[in-house]
């Protein structure tokens, strides 16, 4: 006659299954994070290649961060028609096929959108209709000659960015929300350390480097997100 499981044996078995499931989920999460980081680095490198092709076709001069055109405001990541500029957050229209780099990447919603950005979070606040650009552009490079950059290997072009918004509905001081941010400059905490507390940066020479938060620069309004700077406030290190 077969002996049935005792209650203690059943509980022990269930406990072992629970532990194994936890370990499996933990490993799966780590693998996903590693994969996202690798894909982010690859995307940045592709953006770097597209930028170099653009520079070759435009007398080694960078595109403008933003400029006014007859049809609307042309950001480096797309055209916002005049009827949409200043419109409701999350409803603004963006034609990403008009972006300066579009002819060199020929796609929308791929390499310019980092998978590690928490787009699925209820705390994500879109600025345009859907995701637009998960990377910020070095504002100091806007319309500058690439050949004038003294240290290409230490000058950032694009990198992981985000901003804590507390001033535009539905965000508020009591309900901070996370949004894409499109520039890297020398004052505000807008670098998003979303890869295991590391932000990935594309440098002008084409290499991608993971960088850490500079002490004392973290924006603490969203404890679940690490947003800050890679250099002291006011510093132009890595920017020009």
């Amino acid at each position: 006659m077969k002996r049935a499981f005792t209650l203690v044996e059943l509980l022990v078995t269930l406990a072992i299954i629970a532990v194994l499931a936890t370990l499996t989920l933990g490993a799966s999460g780590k693998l996903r994070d590693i994969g996202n980081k690798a894909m982010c680095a690859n995307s940045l490198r592709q953006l770097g290649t597209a930028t170099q092709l653009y520079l070759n076709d435009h007398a080694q001069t960078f595109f403008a961060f933003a400029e006014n055109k007859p049809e609307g405001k042309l950001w480096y990541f797309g055209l916002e028609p005049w009827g949409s500029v200043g419109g409701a957050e999350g409803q603004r229209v963006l034609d990403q096929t008009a972006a300066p780099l579009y002819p060199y990447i020929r796609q929308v919603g791929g390499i310019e959108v980092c998978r590690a950005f928490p787009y699925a979070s209820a705390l994500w606040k879109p600025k345009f209709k859907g995701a637009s650009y998960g990377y910020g552009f070095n504002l100091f490079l806007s319309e500058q000659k690439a050949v004038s950059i003294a240290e290409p290997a230490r000058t950032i072009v694009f990198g992981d960015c985000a901003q804590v918004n507390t001033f535009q509905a539905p965000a508020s001081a009591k309900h901070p929300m996370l949004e894409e941010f499109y520039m890297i400059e020398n004052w505000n905490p807008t670098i998003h350390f979303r890869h295991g507390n590391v932000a990935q940066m594309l440098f002008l020479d084409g290499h991608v480097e993971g960088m850490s938060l500079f002490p004392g620069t973290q924006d603490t309004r969203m404890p679940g997100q690490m947003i800050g700077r890679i250099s002291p406030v006011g510093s132009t290190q890595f920017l020009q």
Side-chain angles (χ1 to χ4, degrees):
M1 184 176 68
K2 293 183 178 179
R3 187 173 68 88
F5 272 111
T6 66
L7 178 59
V8 172
E9 288 172 330
L10 179 60
L11 291 175
V12 169
T13 301
L14 291 174
I16 291 172
I17 292 172
V19 170
L20 291 174
T22 301
L23 292 173
T24 301
L25 288 173
S28 175
K30 288 181 179 179
L31 288 173
R32 182 179 62 250
D33 291 343
I34 291 171
N36 284 341
K37 186 175 181 180
M39 290 189 69
C40 174
N42 185 56
S43 293
L44 284 168
R45 291 189 190 98
Q46 290 184 66
L47 285 175
T49 299
T51 300
Q52 290 299 330
L53 291 172
Y54 176 93
L55 291 171
N56 290 342
D57 289 343
H58 293 82
Q60 292 298 307
T61 303
F62 279 95
F63 38 83
F65 173 76
E67 57 183 325
N68 294 334
K69 297 286 188 178
E71 61 272 29
K73 189 161 191 172
L74 180 61
W75 304 93
Y76 73 85
F77 50 86
L79 177 71
E80 185 176 9
W82 285 123
S84 180
V85 175
E89 291 287 286
Q91 297 302 311
R92 293 159 61 181
V93 176
L94 185 70
D95 178 7
Q96 291 172 265
T97 66
L101 291 184
Y102 178 78
Y104 305 95
I105 59 177
R106 289 288 177 181
Q107 54 84 60
V108 170
I111 63 173
E112 75 278 22
V113 178
C114 179
R115 288 194 176 188
F117 191 98
Y119 289 111
S121 170
L123 295 178
W124 172 47
K125 177 188 161 298
K127 298 195 72 64
F128 298 92
K129 288 184 176 181
S132 52
Y133 233 80
Y135 301 111
F137 174 55
N138 176 359
L139 191 62
F140 287 84
L141 296 182
S142 179
E143 299 183 277
Q144 295 300 308
K145 289 280 189 181
V147 292
S148 69
I149 306 301
E151 295 186 88
R154 302 313 298 157
T155 303
I156 289 169
V157 181
F158 289 108
D160 291 327
C161 277
Q163 173 179 249
V164 177
N165 191 312
T166 60
F167 52 89
Q168 288 173 308
S172 68
K174 293 184 178 180
H175 182 61
M177 299 184 75
L178 186 73
E179 63 183 11
E180 295 176 327
F181 201 69
Y182 310 114
M183 72 172 76
I184 302 172
E185 36 79 28
N186 57 326
W187 289 104
N188 296 296
T190 59
I191 304 299
H192 194 191
F193 300 85
R194 54 186 175 232
H195 297 285
N197 298 338
V198 167
Q200 300 206 111
M201 297 289 146
L202 168 73
F203 287 80
L204 185 53
D205 71 338
H207 86 275
V208 173
E209 185 176 330
M211 306 191 77
S212 300
L213 175 80
F214 190 86
T217 66
Q218 184 172 356
D219 188 333
T220 59
R221 290 174 295 174
M222 290 192 75
Q225 300 292 328
M226 183 176 283
I227 298 172
R229 294 185 50 77
I230 55 174
S231 60
V233 174
S235 169
T236 59
Q237 186 181 16
F238 308 119
L239 299 179
Q240 60 180 8

